[in-house]
Amino acid sequence: MIIFGWRVVFFTLTRGVFHCPSCGGDRDYRRRQGRNFFTLFFVPVIPLNKTGGEFIECDTCHGRWETGVLNVPTTAQLAHMPAMLLRMAIAQVLRSGDYTNAAARSRAVAVVRQAGDGGYDDAGLTADLSRPFDEVRAEMGRAASALAPEARESILRAAAEIALIDGPLTVSEEETLSAVGADLELTRVQVTGVVSLARQDSGR
Ligand SMILES: [Zn+2]
């Protein structure tokens, strides 16, 4: 008797480190893709079609994510961002939306802490929120030029992510993200790209 059938075999394409939304920290991942195989006596022998797209699997919790999850900065990446610039970008964007939103505030504090400012807290955020706009913008302009474009994009990305916590972006939040992007010396195209990626990943 010949026993045949088919099953899905998963292949690992690449490996790396990402921010796992489920574990809440940096974890090793595998970028994988499934492929249907014709099996003979339960052994896959003939490769058939590929199943679905590539996905990211966390080595620790085995959660599976769309590849867009790789765009979220890891804690290690955040550690290289000057915390001060991040604080200012976040405070400006938060101020243009609902800055009383508890989830947005605690995420803002967590992101700045990850960026190396370990003593940052909600009181520090309140102080940042009350700083004069023009003063903050001038400081940002000075600091931004020292950073690589990727780092500046990551800062805008973090600010956009926080702006999206309380719902879709308002006109005012969008305008502020554009202004912050300009202060970070990003082009209009870069700003649009970063903001739409953040939107896509938040599903808003
Ligand atoms: Zn995980």
Side-chain angles (χ1 to χ4, degrees):
M1 187 180 69
I2 295 173
I3 301 172
F4 64 92
W6 63 271
R7 71 179 168 99
V8 177
V9 178
F10 290 102
F11 292 91
T12 297
L13 306 171
T14 51
R15 306 182 59 101
V17 175
F18 82 131
H19 175 87
C20 176
S22 176
C23 296
D26 292 0
R27 297 290 185 271
D28 290 327
Y29 73 81
R30 293 158 200 245
R31 189 182 186 117
R32 311 187 79 192
Q33 185 167 42
R35 185 155 199 171
N36 283 315
F37 267 77
F38 176 78
T39 60
L40 209 51
F41 296 104
F42 308 108
V43 178
V45 284
I46 303 171
L48 305 170
N49 59 315
K50 287 176 178 159
T51 64
E54 297 171 13
F55 61 90
I56 304 301
E57 184 176 312
C58 174
D59 277 9
T60 305
C61 70
H62 299 290
R64 290 178 178 180
W65 314 93
E66 288 184 5
T67 53
V69 76
L70 298 184
N71 296 322
V72 176
T74 63
T75 306
Q77 283 166 341
L78 282 170
H80 291 111
M81 279 182 204
M84 195 58 200
L85 202 49
L86 192 61
R87 273 171 63 168
M88 291 189 280
I90 288 171
Q92 282 194 82
V93 172
L94 204 54
R95 177 157 54 181
S96 68
D98 178 15
Y99 57 83
T100 60
N101 183 285
R105 291 184 74 105
S106 72
R107 178 67 185 156
V109 168
V111 166
V112 173
R113 282 190 184 170
Q114 279 177 3
D117 192 345
Y120 198 60
D121 57 11
D122 197 73
L125 177 60
T126 302
D128 283 346
L129 286 168
S130 59
R131 289 185 59 195
F133 239 128
D134 293 346
E135 185 189 293
V136 170
R137 296 194 66 173
E139 266 185 49
M140 282 186 72
R142 275 197 299 273
S145 52
L147 286 183
E150 293 84 344
R152 288 183 269 122
E153 283 189 11
S154 299
I155 289 172
L156 187 66
R157 170 68 194 228
E161 190 211 317
I162 286 160
L164 282 157
I165 287 177
D166 66 351
L169 294 179
T170 62
V171 173
S172 158
E173 282 172 331
E174 262 190 52
E175 282 172 353
T176 306
L177 283 168
S178 297
V180 168
D183 290 345
L184 290 168
E185 298 181 357
L186 296 171
T187 65
R188 217 176 251 271
V189 174
Q190 285 173 312
V191 171
T192 307
V194 167
V195 172
S196 61
L197 267 179
R199 263 209 186 104
Q200 209 176 302
D201 288 348
S202 73
R204 284 179 164 140

